[in-house]
Amino acid sequence: MSIEGQTIHRETFVVNLGPQHPATHGVLRIKLTMDGEYIDDAEPVIGYGHRMHEKMGENRTYAKFLPNTARMDYVAAMFNTHGYVCAVERLAGITVPERAEYIRVVTAELNRLASHLLWAGAFLIDLGGFTPLLYTFDDREHILDLLESVTGARLTFCYYRFGGVCNDVDDQFVAGTREFIARLRSRMPMYHALITKNIIFRKRCEGIGIIPAETCRRYGATGPVVRGSGIAYDVRKAEPYSAYPQLNFNIPVYPEADCMARYLVRMDEMMESMRIIEQALDLMQPGPVMAEKVPKMLKPPKGDCYFNVESARGSFGVRAISDGTDKAYRLKLRSPCFSNMSLFQECSRGMLLADALALLGSLDLVIPDMDR
Amino acid sequence: MDEQTQVPPGLIHFAAMDQILDLARANSLWPMTFGLACCAIEMMATGAARFDMARFGCEVFRPSPRQSDVMIVCGTINKKMAPAVVTLYDQMPEPKWVIAMGNCAISGGPFVFPGQYNVVEGVDKLFPVDVYIPGCPPRPEALIEGFLELEKKLTGKRRWPVAKAQ
């Protein structure tokens, strides 16, 4: 208190959000310094989901590490496997047959749809609406059935192998995928009527959680977060890989930089993913799905390579260093969630706690992916 | 305590009452909303429309340990998370049960290797577990089966027929 009574007495208190809190989507802990209902400082504390993936990459042979990749970002497991497999293929100089590349694109984009559907349901739960989750999970189960028929797993797929994929897709899968896309496309207007046009949802999202493009650049944010801030960055376009150069698709970008923009980016991305899948199914020709002469015990020559793919959350990168043995010398995994989460501390300053949770939900974090 | 007020053991029985209570508990097990890793997604799928845990009375996910009966440990527990999990277990009121869902909660699962430094190898190292559900991750049907097993443990008999292998 100053003598004139000009300064208002200000008192802050500390609240722990997590590690067990439904809005943190797992085990993220945020140490909040609150000034009433407003956030003074939000310090993320990570490490509650650390599972030693990078260390295991050095302790296991290349093939034995494959199942691990599915357990980092388990909501979109295909992308992690894709990044890892491509990095090792580049190290070892393996060429993948064309059909396998198209199968990879189809399954990866199906997984992107599943991931975005799950996010939409979970985000709405954060904002207090339970019903959309039941609809999105209903659609998601169709995708999981399709992927289960070729991969054998519902969630933690280990489908890609060095040099291709382990199973060829059959006509039933192709027909089922086309049928599902027709169904999801017919349901998108329903989602927009249920969620996008909902006035409560709009009030919770529009103008809330602004992330300036400059902040995204500084923290290295990628994926729908950066595209919701007006930067058209997508690894599929910036550094095309797999069969993406042959496919025609757009990158949805919204310049508003609020939670609504990030939501709309993901909804539009789902439409684009459906276009990609249809094109890839049309272009797919019969042929082998595995490269010939890939040794069982892979020993890539000495080298160092970095490969990144566009995961459902952003750019997922793998840096593999080989010393000529059957195990990687170093395996660095770049998780999109970690960079996306890092900007939360800066952007949430001065926000209402309830709005900050909307911002946190719109970042689409998977905690064990962040902690690795 | 003086001798007159002492009740001889076995004089008062609440057998019928206990049975009714057990039946009530078995039909309304409230799990805690507590996702650790991959298995939590399958837990969400079990609660959603297709598998519909509500059919078995265990769909009321509570975010607070004070309101829940069952803790589903779904995922890997590491050394940083372990004290928090134990606190949550201690905060749950009696009677309480624990389901270890997935290989990580059972034994550390795929994250156990010589020289591992961070994973707790099985949640039963921290507190007692009633039902183990193997799988990586277990299917939603397996989680429902786990709940039926827990009901059987509570009431002494199985209320639902055993699914036949196809």
Side-chain angles (χ1 to χ4, degrees):
Chain A
M1 278 272 214
S2 67
I3 304 162
E4 291 85 19
Q6 292 292 313
T7 327
I8 301 159
H9 182 60
R10 205 158 152 278
E11 197 177 328
T12 57
F13 58 98
V14 175
V15 181
N16 260 314
L17 185 79
Q20 186 260 339
H21 190 280
T24 57
H25 293 252
V27 287
L28 177 65
R29 175 178 154 214
I30 298 170
K31 213 173 124 192
L32 296 164
T33 310
M34 303 291 297
D35 179 12
E37 272 288 293
Y38 292 90
I39 293 177
D40 231 29
D41 189 35
E43 185 194 345
V45 183
I46 64 166
Y48 291 94
H50 175 59
R51 303 200 276 188
M52 314 172 284
H53 284 293
E54 292 186 359
K55 192 74 197 162
M56 286 170 88
E58 298 165 16
N59 279 302
R60 298 187 164 185
T61 60
Y62 288 97
K64 277 185 181 170
F65 185 71
L66 267 176
N68 270 64
T69 55
R71 280 155 187 81
M72 279 182 284
D73 182 355
Y74 40 79
V75 183
M78 289 285 187
F79 300 101
N80 293 9
T81 321
H82 202 169
Y84 175 64
V85 163
C86 285
V88 175
E89 277 163 2
R90 187 178 276 181
L91 262 182
I94 302 169
T95 328
V96 182
E98 203 188 341
R99 184 178 170 83
E101 292 282 25
Y102 281 111
I103 293 175
R104 281 181 181 182
V105 167
V106 170
T107 47
E109 292 300 323
L110 276 173
N111 203 343
R112 190 188 307 276
L113 286 174
S115 169
H116 283 352
L117 282 169
L118 185 135
W119 170 81
F123 181 49
L124 264 289
I125 282 194
D126 289 350
L127 300 180
F130 184 74
T131 317
L133 178 95
L134 300 173
Y135 288 91
T136 56
F137 264 68
D138 185 19
D139 280 331
R140 188 173 167 269
E141 289 290 340
H142 284 83
I143 304 176
L144 297 191
D145 279 351
L146 285 169
L147 291 178
E148 193 187 352
S149 72
V150 290
T151 66
R154 274 170 56 86
L155 196 69
T156 46
F157 320 105
C158 181
Y159 182 47
Y160 306 157
R161 297 285 194 278
F162 307 124
V165 294
C166 67
N167 283 325
D168 198 356
V169 297
D170 51 6
D171 294 342
Q172 216 179 341
F173 173 82
V174 176
T177 309
R178 287 189 195 279
E179 203 179 310
F180 166 74
I181 285 176
R183 178 197 145 94
L184 186 59
R185 211 166 252 157
S186 71
R187 275 168 75 95
M188 288 309 276
M190 187 268 289
Y191 282 123
H192 283 297
L194 181 70
I195 305 171
T196 319
K197 291 179 187 163
N198 185 309
I199 185 69
I200 303 171
F201 176 73
R202 296 188 82 99
K203 294 245 176 196
R204 292 287 314 264
C205 284
E206 281 177 350
I208 304 288
I210 306 275
I211 306 174
E214 179 49 35
T215 313
C216 285
R217 279 218 177 85
R218 261 191 293 124
Y219 284 94
T222 42
V225 174
V226 78
R227 292 195 283 277
S229 295
I231 302 173
Y233 176 75
D234 189 311
V235 182
R236 290 173 293 176
K237 287 278 188 197
E239 298 167 56
Y241 58 95
S242 198
Y244 286 110
Q246 279 89 43
L247 303 166
N248 179 25
F249 60 98
N250 299 324
I251 304 296
V253 178
Y254 283 82
E256 288 86 4
D258 55 359
C259 294
M260 193 70 185
R262 290 187 281 281
Y263 162 80
L264 289 172
V265 163
R266 290 196 178 91
M267 291 310 257
D268 288 2
E269 256 182 45
M270 279 161 63
M271 297 302 284
E272 293 300 323
S273 287
M274 287 188 263
R275 269 181 68 199
I276 295 173
I277 294 169
E278 278 182 336
Q279 288 175 45
L281 288 177
D282 289 339
L283 289 168
M284 208 192 290
Q285 299 295 328
V289 293
M290 262 312 265
E292 284 169 20
K293 292 177 191 165
V294 178
K296 281 236 161 60
M297 184 60 85
L298 198 64
K299 283 182 185 172
K302 265 188 187 180
D304 181 350
C305 99
Y306 183 79
F307 198 97
N308 60 348
V309 295
E310 180 70 22
S311 149
R313 279 157 197 82
S315 155
F316 172 77
V318 176
R319 182 178 179 201
I321 303 175
S322 166
D323 55 357
T325 60
D326 57 348
K327 292 169 188 165
Y329 174 74
R330 172 82 170 93
L331 196 68
K332 158 75 187 156
L333 306 159
R334 190 245 181 229
S335 140
C337 293
F338 181 75
S339 318
N340 292 355
M341 185 273 307
S342 307
L343 51 79
F344 179 74
Q345 185 168 18
E346 185 179 315
C347 291
S348 65
R349 213 159 274 155
M351 283 175 88
L352 278 168
L353 178 55
D355 289 345
L357 289 183
L359 167 64
L360 191 66
S362 74
L363 295 176
D364 192 10
L365 304 176
V366 171
I367 310 306
D369 177 40
M370 204 165 77
D371 291 338
R372 301 187 295 288
Chain B
M1 198 188 284
D2 90 320
E3 271 182 37
Q4 282 188 329
T5 54
Q6 264 184 1
V7 180
L11 191 65
I12 300 167
H13 284 286
F14 290 113
M17 177 79 169
D18 278 347
Q19 278 178 9
I20 292 169
L21 271 179
D22 285 343
L23 197 64
R25 279 172 188 148
N27 276 288
S28 61
L29 289 165
W30 287 12
M32 182 160 59
T33 317
F34 178 41
L36 278 164
C38 331
C39 293
I41 306 293
E42 287 297 62
M43 186 174 77
M44 283 163 77
T46 318
R50 185 185 188 181
F51 295 99
D52 196 11
M53 265 162 106
R55 292 177 294 163
F56 307 97
C58 46
E59 88 286 8
V60 196
F61 280 99
R62 294 284 119 178
S64 164
R66 310 265 184 212
Q67 300 167 348
S68 37
D69 305 311
V70 189
M71 181 190 226
I72 307 174
V73 184
C74 45
T76 321
I77 298 177
N78 62 21
K79 284 178 185 163
K80 189 167 183 177
M81 192 63 206
V85 180
V86 172
T87 309
L88 287 170
Y89 178 77
D90 291 342
Q91 283 176 340
M92 282 167 68
E94 295 276 2
K96 57 188 168 188
W97 299 276
V98 176
I99 293 177
M101 182 184 183
N103 291 351
C104 290
I106 294 173
S107 67
F111 301 102
V112 177
F113 61 94
Q116 68 97 351
Y117 58 91
N118 204 24
V119 163
V120 176
E121 295 182 13
V123 70
D124 48 11
K125 293 217 171 25
L126 303 174
F127 41 74
V129 175
D130 295 280
V131 178
Y132 295 89
I133 308 172
C136 190
R139 296 179 62 87
E141 291 95 327
L143 180 58
I144 290 174
E145 181 65 26
F147 267 103
L148 296 183
E149 278 297 313
L150 189 58
E151 284 182 14
K152 192 177 160 193
K153 187 174 178 178
L154 270 158
T155 59
K157 59 176 187 291
R158 191 186 168 91
R159 287 190 301 140
W160 301 86
V162 180
K164 285 187 191 115
Q166 284 179 345

